[in-house]
Amino acid sequence: MKRNALKTAFPYTLPVLMGYLFLGIAFGVLLHSKGFNAAWAFMMSLLIYAGSMQFVAINLLVSPFQLAAAFFITLMVNARHLFYGLSMLDRFKALGKLKPYMMFSLTDETFSLLSSVKAPDHVNPKWFMFFIALLNQGYWIAGSLIGNIAGSLISFNSTGIDFAMTALFIVIFVEQWEQAKNHVPAMLGIVITALCLILFGADRFILFAMAGILVSLSLLRGKLHAKESE
């Protein structure tokens, strides 16, 4: 049962494999350029596993530690995961012992896959979802290690390498836009985020934008659901 679920899940994760290897390599190279070895790359990707937050964490590691600043930066960077988790509550109810890991491993790409694909009839959906998440994290860990080790063997100019995560977010947005029947939520997100950026500045807009999006989608939930069902 588990082997069948693993074999079935693997092809769905191939796009993530390509993206995570390159992004993980970028993270590993950047981490090494700041003086941290492969053990750091492995442990951060195993225990933090937060993509963009790991890039941010590099700067936190090399700067004087400020608990409040680290907390609010982490909250702002990962606030979107509140929405991911809420939307997956029903799907994760029946996962039993796997539920804590599924909550931990719900990255942007894993959320995108779990939201858009369903297990075939002959595959246990619980293990199908689990192996999608597990494979994705495995790709990220592998990329991080490859990048860090390569950085120790080859000289790299790491300038601009952290933009790789931004590029991935753009690709995910485009894919979600093309798959969605209703573009109102996406447009709300764009407009509210742009307004918050103008009003609060680049350093403070994320939390306000997330709050605005949450309130707007909550108020329009009924209408959006009705339109999606048409």
Side-chain angles (χ1 to χ4, degrees), residues 95-123:
L95 294 185
K97 294 184 295 184
L98 301 179
K99 185 176 179 180
Y101 177 73
M102 294 301 296
M103 295 167 63
F104 162 76
S105 62
L106 198 59
T107 61
D108 302 281
E109 295 73 24
T110 299
F111 172 77
S112 180
L113 278 178
L114 295 180
S115 299
S116 58
V117 302
K118 293 184 179 180
D121 294 336
H122 64 283
V123 176

Side-chain angles (χ1 to χ4, degrees), residues 2-24:
K2 294 180 184 179
R3 182 178 297 179
N4 186 35
L6 175 59
K7 290 173 62 177
T8 305
F10 175 67
Y12 290 97
T13 65
L14 287 176
V16 180
L17 166 62
M18 300 306 296
Y20 271 14
L21 280 181
F22 284 105
L23 285 170

Side-chain angles (χ1 to χ4, degrees), residues 125-163:
K126 177 176 74 173
W127 291 107
F128 178 76
M129 289 192 293
F130 170 75
F131 282 120
I132 283 179
L134 185 66
L135 285 168
N136 287 349
Q137 186 176 14
Y139 304 149
W140 180 260
I141 292 173
S144 300
L145 288 172
I146 292 170
N148 193 277
I149 293 170
S152 67
L153 301 175
I154 308 170
S155 297
F156 285 94
N157 182 355
S158 60
T159 303
I161 201 170
D162 50 347
F163 184 76

Side-chain angles (χ1 to χ4, degrees), residues 168-179:
L168 179 63
F169 286 150
I170 295 172
V171 172
I172 292 172
F173 175 80
V174 172
E175 290 180 349
Q176 292 288 334
W177 178 276
E178 291 178 344
Q179 293 175 5

Side-chain angles (χ1 to χ4, degrees), residues 49-61:
Y49 186 43
S52 54
M53 187 58 214
Q54 286 184 222
F55 281 87
V56 175
I58 297 175
N59 291 326
L60 294 178
L61 288 171

